[in-house]
Amino acid sequence: MSVLVTGAAGFVGSHVSLALKKRGDGVVGIDNFNSYYDPSLKKARKSMLAEHGVFVVAGDINDGKLLAKLFDVVAFTHVMHLAAQAGVRYAMENPHSYVHSNIAGLVTLLEICKSANPQPAVVWASSSSVYGLNEKSPFSESDRTDQPASLYAATKKAGEEITHTYNHIYGLSITGLRFFTVYGPWGRPDMAYFSFTRNILQGKPITVYRGKNRVDLARDFTYIDDVVKGCLGSLDTSGKSTGSGGKKSGPAPYRIFNLGNTSPVTVPALVSILERHLKVKAKKNVVEMPGNGDVPFTHANISMARREFGYKPTTDLQTGLKKFVKWYLSYYGYNHGKAVN
Ligand SMILES: NC(=O)c1ccc[n+]([C@@H]2O[C@H](COP(=O)([O-])OP(=O)(O)OC[C@H]3O[C@@H](n4cnc5c(N)ncnc54)[C@H](O)[C@@H]3O)[C@@H](O)[C@H]2O)c1
Ligand SMILES: O=C(O)[C@H]1O[C@H](OP(=O)(O)OP(=O)(O)OC[C@H]2O[C@@H](n3ccc(=O)[nH]c3=O)[C@H](O)[C@@H]2O)[C@H](O)[C@@H](O)[C@H]1O
């Protein structure tokens, strides 16, 4: 297959691009290298990909002309759409960034896909956050998603509705993947596992949010290698788009899957695992979760993904964080004289 990976210099995008290339697929990436977090990490991922023969075009998915040029040069059979403004809490600081990338950018990309001939099958990243304040656990794809708790979640829910219309009207094959708190090497500095590691090593305090009535928050933390397998499985089973240059012809597949792990782990448990791997005690400030769009817990029912493409996460948080810490220490050149085996 020949895949356009958007957000290819990002955390998930770089891992997916590398995995596709290693198994022999054609891959072209695009990324706007924005400064939501340290762009040097994105540039380092780009260099790592270049060493494996994957080129990442610097550009914005809102640039329809650039996307059209890419489709003129390459007859993409698939689009792995991972470019987005991620992060739940940042939406309260910079709401327009979410509209720019997660709404306007998505529509620009879909407009190019629906007019391409052949039309590519589209697999894109939605989010566990669409389940909002659901109390029913674990979350199944058919559960309600009409109570997003953050603007980020709302843009992901909107994405699911928008992609549905491009499936219905133009026959685009669409697969939405609801990732659940993904972590691992080459990860995102804005996420808790990463920022906790940095602060613990630098002797700075970490802030541990807690829910109402002092209940610990929990996430269905999912290791990057498991998510990558889910992405490739989705691409391989995405079926064909049935539109041809914008005319509706026959039903193209519209699918949504949870890509999570097997059970949630609390934030304090994550901190304890990091302390063990780093051999440093964390300085913790425990505060009640502010009204920042966070949800108390996430927990994925992954039976649909397992049935459809054999999705089976195999990495628990203890093992996954050991791999992350090993990468972190090597990437940032930490030499603490502490063995990380
Ligand atoms: N990591 C997680 O825990 C998680 C969980 C659920 C969903 N997701 C989703 O998975 C996808 C990938 O997330 P990630 O964790 O790799 O985040 P990331 O921020 O590392 O990757 C996103 C990449 O997209 C790029 N980008 C953003 N807006 C763009 C635009 N308008 N044009 C071109 N490039 C743009 C960024 O520069 C970045 O490199 C996102 O859609 C995110 O919402 C991530
Ligand atoms: O599955 C998703 O769809 C989402 O996954 C991820 O969001 P979250 O699950 O919120 O990950 P993350 O920030 O690591 O916080 C983890 C836990 O630590 C708590 N947390 C966080 C920061 C802090 O300083 N203290 C703290 O206790 C915090 O309250 C939470 O309980 C992606 O960022 C997002 O893109 C989105 O896609």
Side-chain angles (χ1 to χ4, degrees), residues 2-308:
S2 173
V3 189
L4 173 65
V5 179
T6 72
F11 168 41
V12 179
S14 54
H15 280 271
V16 169
S17 299
L18 189 58
L20 285 167
K21 183 69 181 176
K22 281 184 172 174
R23 74 172 198 177
D25 291 311
V27 185
V28 174
I30 182 170
D31 198 299
N32 69 1
F33 294 90
N34 68 46
S35 51
Y36 168 56
Y37 61 75
D38 178 6
S40 69
L41 180 53
K42 300 180 183 182
K43 292 193 181 90
R45 297 183 186 125
K46 174 188 164 105
S47 308
M48 179 267 288
L49 289 174
E51 284 162 20
H52 290 84
V54 176
F55 183 63
V56 181
V57 173
D60 197 297
I61 55 171
N62 283 281
D63 183 345
K65 286 198 176 64
L66 172 61
L67 291 176
K69 266 200 209 108
L70 291 175
F71 273 84
D72 284 346
V73 172
V74 182
F76 293 111
T77 58
H78 295 75
V79 171
M80 182 80 231
H81 177 44
L82 296 166
Q85 176 57 64
V88 171
R89 293 172 295 283
Y90 181 63
M92 295 177 77
E93 280 176 57
N94 184 355
H96 299 290
S97 172
Y98 292 76
V99 178
H100 174 82
S101 295
N102 304 1
I103 306 288
L106 173 66
V107 170
T108 305
L109 177 69
L110 291 171
E111 280 294 308
I112 299 295
C113 293
K114 64 112 170 158
S115 305
N117 203 355
Q119 288 180 335
V122 177
V123 177
W124 71 288
S126 179
S127 155
S128 71
S129 61
V130 301
Y131 291 108
L133 301 167
N134 246 319
E135 302 205 336
K136 173 183 169 296
S137 169
F139 303 155
S140 298
E141 288 84 353
S142 55
D143 288 346
R144 66 183 300 183
T145 55
D146 57 354
Q147 298 175 298
S150 64
L151 177 65
Y152 167 75
T155 62
K156 287 298 184 179
K157 170 67 183 171
E160 294 185 357
E161 311 295 7
I162 290 168
T163 51
H164 185 274
T165 62
Y166 279 80
N167 166 266
H168 172 67
I169 299 171
Y170 302 107
L172 266 183
S173 162
I174 299 285
T175 303
L177 302 175
R178 293 173 179 167
F179 296 161
F180 281 67
T181 311
V182 188
Y183 73 99
W186 294 99
R188 270 179 33 205
D190 63 308
M191 290 181 67
Y193 72 96
F194 199 117
S195 62
F196 286 176
T197 297
R198 181 180 54 227
N199 283 20
I200 291 169
L201 285 172
Q202 294 174 359
K204 293 178 184 160
I206 63 173
T207 305
V208 177
Y209 296 141
R210 199 157 56 185
K212 289 196 174 48
N213 313 320
R214 307 162 75 85
V215 171
D216 289 334
L217 302 183
R219 289 291 183 274
D220 201 352
F221 294 100
T222 314
Y223 188 62
I224 183 63
D225 289 359
D226 291 322
V227 167
V228 167
K229 281 184 217 144
C231 289
L232 269 52
S234 307
L235 286 163
D236 293 341
T237 58
S238 56
K240 287 247 176 289
S241 291
T242 56
S244 52
K247 286 187 293 305
K248 174 179 171 182
S249 61
Y254 179 83
R255 310 180 302 169
I256 297 261
F257 297 106
N258 289 333
L259 290 190
N261 207 332
T262 48
S263 58
V265 176
T266 67
V267 177
L270 172 131
V271 175
S272 305
I273 294 170
L274 284 177
E275 289 174 317
R276 274 201 305 280
H277 290 324
L278 296 169
K279 296 179 175 58
V280 180
K281 201 97 183 84
K283 295 173 183 155
K284 286 178 276 193
N285 296 327
V286 182
V287 301
E288 178 152 334
M289 177 173 81
N292 59 9
D294 259 334
V295 295
F297 74 94
T298 63
H299 183 190
N301 171 351
I302 56 175
S303 53
M304 273 185 69
R306 186 178 302 128
R307 250 196 323 275
E308 180 83 1

